[in-house]
Amino acid sequence: MNNFSSKTAIAGYGATEFSKNSGRSELRLAVEATLAALADAGIDPGEVDGMSSFVMDNNSEQEIFRAIGGKDLKFFSRIGQGGGASCAPLQQAAMAIACGVAKVVVCYRAMNERSEYRFGTPMHSLPPTSDNVIFAYHGAAGLMTPAAMIALMMRRYMHETGATSLDFANYAVTARKFAATNPNAFFYGKPITIADHQASRMIADPLRLLDCCQESDGGVAIVVTSAERARDLRQKPVYIRAAAQGSPGGSVSLGGFYRDDISPRDESAAAARQLYAQSGLGPKDIQAAILYDHFGPSILPSLEAYGFCARGEAKDFIKNGNIEIGGTLPLNMHGGQLGEAYIHGVNGITEAVRQLRGQAVNQVPGVKTMLVTGGSGLPTSAAILGVE
Amino acid sequence: MSYNVENDRGHNAPCSNRDFDFFYRGLVDQRLLVQKCSDCGTLRSLPSPCCPHCRSFDWQEYPLSGKGVIHSYVIHYHPPLPGFTSPHPVVLADMEEGVRILAAMDGTPPESVTIGTAVTTEFVRRGDVAGLRFRLV
């Protein structure tokens, strides 16, 4: 394989504020984030020649490009599977740049998913695409929301591992503790207790309200360029050590109920195998992680899938303080999507960039290598990022 | 853009295609059907056009007994869903023929739904649409 490991780097990032009502168009959010990311990198917008995002973003590549005064867009791609794909644009950018197809690729995500429409609502499912007929088939059973789909997977996980709602609470409390000291987080200054979690209402038993990510308005963009170019720019380069997608046989979008292990783990494990092979790194080399928390409980099988602990041990790994700053694997220091915002995982990539540059509010001292992942329980993506 | 909605699929399920129509037609006839590969005999539950084991496109409708054991479940609370009264269980069962089926289990108290419990199938109507749900044996 023509390995693209460390041949490209994140040179800049930009973000709008995260809110429940941005007061402006989704396109404007995307353009603000894109221009901020380019300014952060010190790259003129006229140099952008590639753009990548993933489905469920309503902003077309060429409209952002038109707005920023782009000149010649040569590479544009959009990956399926919503939040599962949050790290896939990094792989797209790295491959495009390593192949010489593009030189400066903007990866973006911008949505008014709270103020203009509601995410996480029942998935009514016309037209009959290959995925929609499955959502409809499951929907006929009364399984219509992402929360309920993940809940069905997690109930079996609890049965097999002995994890309980209190183990889910341990993650939620940690995420909200980090958010409480992050001024950009929606839940800044609002930590929760185990009792708050246990008192929060059921959404899809075993998932409680405080297990669920937020619906958020906001935009995020990331600029990727070659490693050589990045070294001459304003910011410390954050190298893409590895980036991968994962979708093993038997994967169904939020509906992999027909394989031996229905917990949200197989796709993540498939991505993990590629990341470690590409980079020559292993779980022991990862010093901090951003794991996708559409629903906090999914963190447990993700910790196992990426090799940080054995099957069934994630509950104790969390309980024993490993995900705290100072632990063996500080996790979601921005507060996660439970605490900061739900920009479909891309705000997690920007947190990794801040951490690796040493600019985060909840900084992990001296962190040089991090894992970032996309949503689990569906075809997914992930990346290993690092600094020298 | 508009879609051709055939009026004569033999069922009223709102979002189906030619791979899934047999399942919904089965519900109209109060039969729980899966696909059986005509070449290698493998049963498959979630419909698909081709056998993932031998890649044959030939298959037959195969009726299940309706008997199974709960593999996992969720109790849906929020938001309220059309045709259901919250909270209502949704159950994934290991059927005695060796395939899994996902179905509603509304009508059964949530507290009596647990992994390993034996269930059987009953046929219901939800508005104009024929459906099925599990109940305790």
Side-chain angles (χ1 to χ4, degrees):
Chain A
M1 177 175 164
N2 185 4
N3 198 332
F4 58 80
S5 176
S6 302
K7 290 183 177 167
T8 64
I10 296 172
Y13 77 91
T16 68
E17 81 289 356
F18 305 134
S19 73
K20 301 297 181 196
N21 186 356
S22 70
R24 50 212 197 275
S25 74
E26 293 184 308
L27 181 62
R28 177 164 171 165
L29 297 177
V31 171
E32 286 181 20
T34 297
L35 290 176
L38 290 162
D40 180 56
I43 293 177
D44 186 88
E47 288 191 56
V48 175
D49 58 0
M51 304 199 72
S52 183
S53 188
F54 46 104
V55 297
M56 300 165 81
D57 193 298
N58 297 317
N59 303 296
S60 67
E61 296 80 356
Q62 82 280 1
E63 271 307 295
I64 299 172
F65 201 66
R66 185 169 73 93
I68 67 170
K71 292 182 170 55
D72 196 4
L73 189 60
K74 299 168 183 164
F75 173 76
F76 37 105
S77 71
R78 187 166 291 222
I79 309 301
Q81 299 302 326
S86 64
C87 294
L90 295 180
Q91 187 198 36
Q92 293 282 299
M95 292 192 299
I97 293 164
C99 288
V101 171
K103 290 187 166 63
V104 176
V105 180
V106 172
C107 306
Y108 66 93
R109 193 67 170 170
M111 307 177 84
N112 283 332
E113 72 187 49
R114 182 61 177 83
S115 65
E116 288 197 277
Y117 41 90
R118 297 296 301 271
F119 238 55
T121 49
M123 296 159 93
H124 293 292
S125 30
L126 288 167
T129 63
S130 61
D131 285 9
N132 283 347
V133 293
I134 295 174
F135 284 125
Y137 178 80
H138 292 158
L143 189 80
M144 297 189 201
T145 63
M149 294 165 194
I150 294 291
L152 183 70
M153 302 176 195
M154 290 307 302
R155 172 59 70 188
R156 183 70 195 183
Y157 177 88
M158 295 165 81
H159 176 77
E160 291 177 357
T161 65
T164 68
S165 181
L166 284 171
D167 295 305
F168 302 164
N170 285 335
Y171 170 71
V173 168
T174 305
R176 290 289 296 270
K177 183 180 75 176
F178 286 140
T181 53
N182 171 8
N184 291 323
F186 186 77
F187 286 120
Y188 177 54
K190 293 179 181 169
I192 59 167
T193 64
I194 298 279
D196 292 334
H197 175 275
Q198 292 294 293
S200 69
R201 65 186 167 124
M202 281 295 183
I203 299 298
D205 186 359
L207 300 192
R208 297 177 178 279
L209 178 66
L210 292 179
D211 290 318
C212 300
C213 66
Q214 314 167 60
E215 295 164 303
S216 310
D217 286 11
V220 175
I222 288 151
V223 178
V224 181
T225 190
S226 70
E228 296 79 24
R229 177 81 193 279
R231 283 191 276 272
D232 295 333
L233 293 169
R234 292 178 52 201
Q235 305 291 349
K236 181 197 285 190
V238 173
Y239 296 101
I240 299 177
R241 304 294 192 202
Q245 295 181 277
S247 186
S251 280
V252 175
S253 189
L254 293 175
F257 309 138
Y258 305 91
R259 55 188 172 187
D260 290 345
D261 181 1
I262 69 164
S263 62
R265 186 156 41 193
D266 283 4
E267 291 83 6
S268 304
R273 288 191 292 273
Q274 297 175 72
L275 292 181
Y276 297 139
Q278 272 179 34
S279 63
L281 300 170
K284 294 271 186 263
D285 300 306
I286 306 295
Q287 297 162 324
I290 307 293
L291 298 184
Y292 194 100
D293 56 342
H294 39 12
F295 302 99
S298 72
I299 293 290
L300 279 73
S302 290
L303 283 167
E304 296 162 13
Y306 285 95
F308 300 112
C309 48
R311 190 184 175 90
E313 291 180 357
K315 63 183 191 302
D316 299 314
F317 186 85
I318 293 172
K319 195 188 305 174
N320 294 339
N322 288 290
I323 67 168
E324 307 277 351
I325 291 174
T328 58
L329 188 77
L331 186 67
N332 293 358
M333 295 72 70
H334 57 324
Q337 299 187 102
L338 265 55
E340 187 186 61
Y342 180 72
I343 313 297
H344 243 170
V346 183
N347 52 316
I349 301 174
T350 59
E351 170 65 10
V353 172
R354 281 189 294 268
Q355 289 283 344
L356 292 163
R357 288 182 184 174
Q359 299 168 341
V361 288
N362 299 313
Q363 181 67 46
V364 177
V367 62
K368 291 186 183 306
T369 305
M370 288 183 66
L371 170 72
V372 189
T373 75
S376 59
L378 74 174
T380 194
S381 60
I384 296 175
L385 305 177
V387 291
E388 282 166 354
Chain B
M1 185 160 50
S2 66
Y3 294 89
N4 294 322
V5 177
E6 294 171 35
N7 295 320
D8 194 20
R9 291 193 165 210
H11 65 81
N12 288 328
C15 176
S16 179
N17 64 12
R18 291 168 179 83
D19 298 327
F20 280 70
D21 284 338
F22 81 94
F23 175 81
Y24 296 113
R25 278 196 296 266
L27 296 182
V28 172
D29 297 336
Q30 302 208 339
R31 298 201 302 161
L32 172 55
L33 300 176
V34 296
Q35 292 169 293
K36 180 178 184 178
C37 176
S38 299
D39 286 333
C40 75
T42 302
L43 297 182
R44 56 185 194 268
S45 172
L46 184 66
S48 63
C50 156
C51 175
H53 297 284
C54 75
R55 282 84 184 190
S56 170
F57 285 92
D58 296 326
W59 58 272
Q60 300 143 19
E61 299 176 355
Y62 186 88
L64 299 184
S65 69
K67 295 187 178 66
V69 171
I70 297 177
H71 184 81
S72 193
Y73 65 94
V74 52
I75 312 298
H76 183 90
Y77 280 77
H78 186 79
L81 303 179
F84 294 91
T85 303
S86 291
H88 55 93
V90 181
V91 163
L92 179 69
D94 291 312
M95 308 305 284
E96 63 179 10
E97 294 85 354
V99 293
R100 294 216 183 103
I101 290 288
L102 182 80
M105 201 160 163
D106 58 334
T108 299
E111 58 273 16
S112 37
V113 176
T114 55
I115 290 174
T117 298
V119 292
T120 190
T121 308
E122 64 185 13
F123 296 93
V124 295
R125 301 282 300 188
R126 298 190 192 277
D128 292 338
V129 182
L132 84 162
R133 68 184 184 187
F134 289 124
R135 62 174 169 78
L136 297 175
V137 175

